[in-house]
Amino acid sequence: KELSLTEKKKVMSMNKIVRDSLHYFEKNGYYNTSVDKLCEEAMISRSTFFNYFGNKEKVIKLIMEDGLQDLKDVIGSVDIMSEEDPVECLMKILVFQLKATKKYKNTTFVFYRMMMEDEECCRIKNSFDEEIAILVEQIQERLEFKNKQSRQWIKNVFGGAFLDIVILTPEEDWEKSVRETIGGVIEMMK
């Protein structure tokens, strides 16, 4: 369906607000970035902001949805069935995700906090985990693992390991921890 000029302007404004919000959340922190500041930068009124988003939390969810699309794009750019080393390919994708998490850590950590109480955030996180689980299923098939695991098991283990590393491990050790932890899980699955 073709969007009207008004609808196009609204989408453009919303996209600008989301991009600017990510910048301000990272620079100043989520809680130190006011709706007024976001409105001032986007040259919109508070009422327009609340009409578009309803609240500041919705902006975080849209940012994470964009991140999910980025992950899907990266995963879509590889063919696990023809990769020379599919496990290393998985590691590169997980490192890509780590780098995005590191680059946008203020926003990511707010999202993780919101996830404790918000079903939509849980759905978004589940979608991230689902994308990785599908990839791991393909690796299981390609490498003919003896201990094939269910998609739910993979989502729980990989998603939990990733979250645990990001929350509990010093940033400088993230990549090493992901490689060791996920590498150990892959070995166990073989």
Side-chain angles (χ1 to χ4, degrees):
K1 176 183 166 185
E2 185 68 27
L3 295 177
S4 70
L5 182 58
T6 303
E7 291 168 324
K8 286 179 184 177
K9 285 181 180 180
K10 179 180 178 178
V11 168
M12 288 174 58
S13 289
M14 289 178 72
N15 288 337
K16 179 176 178 11
I17 294 165
V18 170
R19 281 190 312 275
D20 289 351
S21 296
L22 178 58
H23 168 75
Y24 284 107
F25 295 159
E26 291 309 309
K27 182 178 177 187
N28 306 314
Y30 173 79
Y31 299 105
N32 294 326
T33 301
S34 68
V35 170
D36 289 335
K37 180 66 177 169
L38 298 176
C39 293
E40 178 185 317
E41 290 299 316
M43 296 184 284
I44 62 168
S45 67
R46 282 179 63 87
S47 60
T48 299
F49 178 90
F50 289 109
N51 182 40
Y52 286 178
F53 302 105
N55 56 42
K56 204 164 70 166
E57 291 81 13
K58 181 64 177 176
V59 177
I60 291 283
K61 294 172 191 174
L62 291 171
I63 289 168
M64 295 308 288
E65 289 279 3
D66 282 349
L68 176 60
Q69 186 57 53
D70 291 344
L71 177 64
K72 287 179 179 180
D73 291 346
V74 169
I75 290 172
S77 71
V78 300
D79 178 9
I80 284 297
M81 300 315 262
S82 65
E83 289 292 325
E84 187 174 318
D85 184 350
V87 173
E88 184 54 31
C89 183
L90 170 67
M91 291 297 184
K92 286 179 183 175
I93 290 167
L94 291 173
V95 168
F96 164 82
Q97 192 62 24
L98 274 177
K99 287 179 179 177
T101 299
K102 191 174 191 176
K103 183 175 181 180
Y104 304 116
K105 66 182 173 186
N106 288 338
T107 304
T108 303
F109 287 138
V110 168
F111 174 77
Y112 286 161
R113 277 188 231 117
M114 288 171 52
M115 210 170 60
M116 302 301 174
E117 300 173 352
D118 187 289
E119 274 186 41
E120 190 175 358
C121 289
C122 290
R123 180 195 57 75
I124 295 168
K125 172 69 167 86
N126 188 50
S127 295
F128 275 93
D129 295 345
E130 182 78 12
E131 291 299 318
I132 297 300
I134 292 168
L135 197 60
V136 174
E137 281 183 329
Q138 292 172 351
I139 292 170
Q140 286 184 121
E141 181 182 322
R142 162 98 188 278
L143 299 179
E144 299 175 359
F145 286 180
K146 293 176 186 165
N147 300 316
K148 289 187 179 167
Q149 302 298 329
S150 71
R151 184 174 295 178
Q152 189 60 48
W153 184 92
I154 295 167
K155 285 169 51 176
N156 290 342
V157 170
F158 280 72
F162 189 88
L163 190 60
D164 183 66
I165 289 165
V166 168
I167 291 174
L168 299 176
T169 305
E171 252 180 68
E172 60 273 9
D173 296 332
W174 282 3
E175 185 173 343
K176 179 182 174 204
S177 290
V178 161
R179 288 186 174 278
E180 288 173 357
T181 303
I182 300 304
V185 172
I186 293 287
E187 283 303 311
M188 180 186 76
M189 293 170 67
K190 287 181 180 179

